[in-house]
Amino acid sequence: MHIQTPHTILKEYFGYDRFRGGQEKLISRILAGGDVLGIMPTGAGKSICYQVPAMLLHGVTIVVSPLISLMQDQVTALRDAGIPAACLHSNLTQQEYFYTLDAIRAGEIRLIYAAPERLLTESFLSLTESVAVAMVAVDEAHCLSQWGQDFRPGYLRITEFLNELPARPVVAAFTATATESVRADIRRLLKLREPLELVTGFDRKNLRWIVERPQHKYEALLNILRRNQGRSGIIYCISRKSTEEICSKLCADGFHAVRYHAGLSAEERTANQEAFLRDEAQIITATNAFGMGIDKSNVSFVVHYQMPKSMEAYYQEAGRAGRDGSAAECTLLYSPQDIRSNSFLIEHSDSENDRLTPEQRDIIRKKDFERLNAMVCYCSLTDCLRHYILSYFGEFSPTHCGNCGCCLADSETVDATIPAQKILSCVFRIGQRGHRCGSRMLCDILQGKKTKQITEAGYQTLSTYGLLGDVSRIQLEHMVNILISRGYLSIDASQYSVLSLTAKANPVLRGQEQVQMSLPMRDLRQTRREQQLAAMPDYGVDEELFQKLRRVRERLAAKEYVPAYIVFSDASLREMCNKRPSNEEQMLAVPGVGKYKMDKYGEAFLQAIAEYVSRQSSDTDPQK
Ligand code: ADP
Ligand code: ZN
């Protein structure tokens, strides 16, 4: 028998050659007996961080996880990769439950997934008398914090459970929430001992970030679907109503779409989710109720039909695209109306938090609006979207990524000091009258429009009225957006998104600071950008072979009763198409193909590839 290390485990069971940023550090620390707190976004690879050490530690690992569906998915995937894992939850029959307990006692299981509420039950505690617990891994650890959105009282019992154990195991906590108050709660409530705390992997290089501010959202959506023909995608909507509307429209337009929200019957939800996971439905329209625990690896695009409530929510939802590492796009279709919808939700969201005092409620409301403001800012950006996202989550990055809607837009850098002064001074003049206004009204005034609101408020007498009548509307809106995103103007989502000057605006108004802006060249903008976007990196695989391998995968998945992506991801299949492995060794070099899966599935794929290759060469054989 050879000696196992984190690398051999990664290769043999998961089929990967290298750890991703941060994974290795966290794993080493766990193996050295230290606690960790890993802050990684969805899709960055948190689970490997406890699954790999679980195979090396002496004793079992208990994984605390919030959702049954999430546990089941993970356990299915682990078992399929040859890792003995089990879950204990209320959906098991009594027989299954006791059967699992026996297997654990017999030392046949390395990872036990359980909901927090189960930990202190008698049967679970008695387990820990017969097997040693080497590690407790807390997934979605932000559920501990009252300040997070998903507070779950059961999580507070984890500490109690740890106290009941004969020896304190390593505690490893993981979350995608980077806020300091949530992190502090996790450290404190779990009583982590000098944890290694790492923020990693927030950059998802294969994701292309795009914000569009279309006149007609549905048309914009159809454009996105056109450039993603035949690929799988999620469309997030802000309300149940809009989820249903978009789904019906898409179906009427010939797309195979299904819908998902908390108002549907449990049967319909499960059926729709399954249809999407198994690639029977190409598109799912959903509220944010969809997605927790969804590990579908071949989602090629995520569209937000409305702006979500925070960057945290956005990054988590959009992050469900491209989990297998293939190029994918995340597009947010923004309209100013979205600010009002979100403000409404914040104002009316405290019903579930009855236990809170008015002061606490006020703090939460204030934080919600701060998060919303940051989200609005993202939608107003004309500079690199990726840079903004990474800065928001506390990661350092270059100011130009080359793979986001803004970096790809055809633009020109110009000195815009004078128009910037005009815009800022218009806000100033309006303020002098004791008023404030949003960006649409501001642009109307600067362009000298004669709308009813303007005449009623008497704004045609402002000295700045009509000062930018010669600039195109698109350019003007862009300039205002830039001033917002760079912090010269602040936007207040809790007050009808009115704008006000910040201290940063003073030097510009006094002529002490120049403002460079990169502005879209107006007429070219839309068409060029469409072209750029249409040129999404193609996977460049032999489509026929790819489809053939997919059918093999389909067949094996049906036989094993697992979703297709658990057998191999699309990325693995594509790599097989490119490399066309002809023996076991070459097959093992394909990312995602570990030893165990090679034994289980490898032969079927090797055979399919060999068949395809020989048929191709006989087709092109001049002798025939
Ligand atoms: P998270 O729990 O952080 O949302 P997962 O643990 O589900 O993310 O991992 C996301 C995907 O990335 C999975 O398909 C996983 O197999 C893959 N992955 C994780 N680590 C690596 C790695 N080192 N190399 C390649 N793929 C990886
Ligand atoms: Zn960029």
Side-chain angles (χ1 to χ4, degrees):
M1 222 185 110
H2 70 118
I3 295 175
Q4 293 281 23
T5 66
H7 275 101
T8 60
I9 304 267
L10 184 71
K11 179 71 188 160
E12 281 176 28
Y13 292 93
F14 298 92
Y16 299 129
D17 287 324
R18 265 174 299 280
F19 283 107
R20 288 188 183 152
Q23 285 177 332
E24 207 168 2
K25 281 201 187 121
L26 292 165
I27 291 171
S28 311
R29 176 63 167 250
I30 291 172
L31 290 174
D35 289 354
V36 302
L37 171 53
I39 295 141
M40 301 160 107
T42 313
K46 286 186 279 291
S47 15
I48 294 252
C49 297
Y50 55 80
Q51 288 164 351
V52 167
M55 293 295 281
L56 293 164
L57 290 168
H58 299 288
V60 296
T61 291
I62 293 171
V63 184
V64 183
S65 176
L67 282 181
I68 294 182
S69 61
L70 193 98
M71 290 179 213
Q72 236 151 11
D73 236 45
Q74 292 238 9
V75 169
T76 312
L78 285 172
R79 287 207 190 140
D80 204 55
I83 295 178
C87 43
L88 289 174
H89 55 66
S90 50
N91 281 10
L92 298 180
T93 63
Q94 203 171 9
Q95 200 184 0
E96 286 169 324
Y97 194 83
F98 285 109
Y99 180 81
T100 308
L101 291 185
D102 284 344
I104 295 169
R105 285 207 184 85
E108 290 163 13
I109 302 290
R110 303 225 51 101
L111 286 120
I112 306 167
Y113 283 72
E117 291 78 9
R118 184 146 304 268
L119 300 175
L120 291 171
T121 59
E122 220 166 290
S123 62
F124 200 88
L125 280 174
S126 75
L127 251 192
T128 61
E129 285 161 14
S130 41
V131 290
V133 178
M135 163 166 52
V136 171
V138 183
D139 203 5
E140 313 286 354
H142 58 275
C143 293
L144 273 160
S145 171
Q146 298 221 24
W147 307 119
Q149 270 124 15
D150 313 302
F151 173 57
R152 167 118 170 220
Y155 263 67
L156 297 173
R157 297 185 163 190
I158 299 172
T159 328
E160 233 177 298
F161 171 71
L162 290 171
N163 289 337
E164 295 285 330
L165 295 177
R168 185 185 178 279
V170 170
V171 181
F174 298 90
T175 174
T177 308
T179 336
E180 179 47 38
S181 50
V182 173
R183 281 199 236 177
D185 271 359
I186 296 174
R187 282 190 300 257
R188 184 171 56 86
L189 295 167
L190 277 181
K191 299 204 171 81
L192 295 182
R193 297 182 181 167
E194 297 174 31
L196 168 66
E197 197 167 324
L198 274 191
V199 184
T200 72
F202 271 80
D203 190 10
R204 302 272 312 278
K205 291 196 173 53
N206 59 320
L207 300 188
R208 175 172 290 178
W209 302 100
I210 302 169
V211 175
E212 289 183 16
R213 307 169 192 96
Q215 287 290 332
H216 303 286
K217 281 194 180 183
Y218 190 71
E219 286 300 312
L221 177 62
L222 291 179
N223 272 335
I224 296 169
L225 296 178
R226 256 174 238 131
R227 64 176 182 250
N228 284 288
Q229 232 168 26
R231 297 180 190 158
S232 218
I234 307 174
I235 299 166
Y236 277 108
C237 302
I238 202 168
S239 65
R240 296 174 184 185
K241 188 164 156 262
S242 145
T243 303
E244 300 201 341
E245 275 172 16
I246 306 301
C247 185
S248 313
K249 266 178 143 169
L250 287 175
C251 289
D253 283 334
F255 291 94
H256 194 166
V258 291
R259 55 193 190 163
Y260 190 103
H261 62 70
L264 299 172
S265 69
E267 294 81 50
E268 183 178 351
R269 262 180 296 160
T270 317
N272 291 350
Q273 174 171 321
E274 283 292 301
F276 180 64
L277 290 182
R278 291 176 193 275
D279 284 337
E280 288 151 19
Q282 185 209 344
I283 298 162
I284 192 161
T285 66
T287 59
N288 58 8
F290 175 77
M292 249 270 237
I294 298 298
D295 186 14
K296 182 174 162 63
S297 62
N298 65 337
V299 175
S300 295
F301 62 98
V302 172
V303 176
H304 278 74
Y305 205 74
Q306 288 93 3
M307 173 180 70
K309 65 183 173 189
S310 66
M311 289 299 293
E312 284 87 351
Y314 181 58
Y315 206 62
Q316 179 167 42
E317 287 158 15
R320 296 189 174 118
R323 289 178 75 117
D324 64 3
S326 308
E329 69 168 73
C330 308
T331 309
L332 199 162
L333 301 177
Y334 170 73
S335 89
Q337 164 67 33
D338 300 344
I339 303 180
R340 254 159 290 153
S341 316
N342 274 291
S343 306
F344 181 86
L345 291 177
I346 293 177
E347 298 289 2
H348 297 84
S349 74
D350 45 18
S351 50
E352 72 236 43
N353 273 333
D354 302 339
R355 292 165 294 106
L356 300 177
T357 64
E359 289 77 33
Q360 286 174 320
R361 222 170 280 181
D362 234 35
I363 295 174
I364 291 181
R365 187 179 159 279
K366 205 166 145 258
K367 292 217 158 130
D368 283 344
F369 271 114
E370 277 169 25
R371 283 195 280 259
L372 180 58
N373 288 344
M375 188 72 238
V376 176
C377 214
Y378 176 78
C379 297
S380 319
L381 284 180
T382 55
D383 299 331
C384 183
L385 298 171
R386 189 181 310 272
H387 179 69
Y388 181 85
I389 294 172
L390 294 176
S391 311
Y392 183 82
F393 289 112
E395 223 175 86
F396 184 77
S397 70
T399 52
H400 184 98
C401 76
N403 188 25
C404 73
C406 292
C407 286
L408 289 168
D410 207 2
S411 51
E412 205 176 8
T413 303
V414 294
D415 179 353
T417 311
I418 292 179
Q421 285 171 331
K422 291 179 178 172
I423 294 167
L424 296 174
S425 87
C426 190
V427 176
F428 178 72
R429 296 288 169 207
I430 294 165
Q432 273 187 323
R433 295 195 177 179
H435 299 175
R436 291 196 293 169
C437 72
S439 65
R440 188 187 302 172
M441 171 79 105
L442 179 67
C443 292
D444 284 348
I445 298 170
L446 283 160
Q447 295 212 294
K449 293 256 161 72
K450 296 190 179 66
T451 66
K452 194 158 152 258
Q453 288 110 313
I454 288 183
T455 26
E456 273 174 8
Y459 288 148
Q460 70 281 12
T461 61
L462 283 169
S463 59
T464 47
Y465 180 75
L467 269 188
L468 289 173
D470 55 339
V471 174
S472 83
R473 182 72 180 203
I474 289 179
Q475 298 266 16
L476 179 56
E477 284 174 4
H478 249 81
M479 291 194 266
V480 174
N481 283 334
I482 292 176
L483 293 172
I484 296 170
S485 65
R486 297 213 191 136
Y488 295 108
L489 288 173
S490 68
I491 190 164
D492 186 349
S494 63
Q495 295 286 326
Y496 308 102
S497 352
V498 292
L499 299 169
S500 32
L501 290 181
T502 67
K504 228 184 138 182
N506 289 331
V508 178
L509 282 167
R510 289 199 212 102
Q512 294 157 345
E513 188 186 315
Q514 306 254 302
V515 185
Q516 301 280 323
M517 289 186 184
S518 105
L519 294 175
M521 297 189 290
R522 49 182 137 152
D523 302 326
L524 285 178
R525 175 171 171 258
Q526 216 44 41
T527 44
R528 286 256 188 115
R529 219 164 83 102
E530 279 301 322
Q531 281 168 8
Q532 290 264 27
L533 292 175
M536 274 283 277
D538 198 17
Y539 304 128
V541 296
D542 183 333
E543 194 58 31
E544 197 186 334
L545 178 56
F546 183 60
Q547 293 307 335
K548 189 177 165 86
L549 298 185
R550 276 178 63 138
R551 285 193 297 274
V552 174
R553 179 175 69 175
E554 207 61 51
R555 198 183 67 214
L556 293 170
K559 207 169 96 197
E560 299 281 334
Y561 299 106
V562 295
Y565 61 84
I566 282 191
V567 174
F568 284 128
S569 70
D570 277 9
S572 296
L573 295 195
R574 273 189 213 109
E575 205 44 33
M576 289 181 202
C577 293
N578 289 335
K579 291 206 179 122
R580 300 192 176 184
S582 60
N583 57 36
E584 185 173 330
E585 196 191 336
Q586 290 172 359
M587 193 61 146
L588 280 169
V590 172
V593 183
K595 259 221 179 72
Y596 194 83
K597 283 200 181 176
M598 174 67 223
D599 291 346
K600 205 158 158 192
Y601 304 125
E603 201 46 50
F605 287 92
L606 279 173
Q607 210 180 332
I609 295 167
E611 252 172 49
Y612 183 78
V613 171
S614 81
R615 208 191 57 216
Q616 248 192 351
S617 61
S618 68
D619 282 353
T620 52
D621 192 343
Q623 306 270 284
K624 277 207 156 180

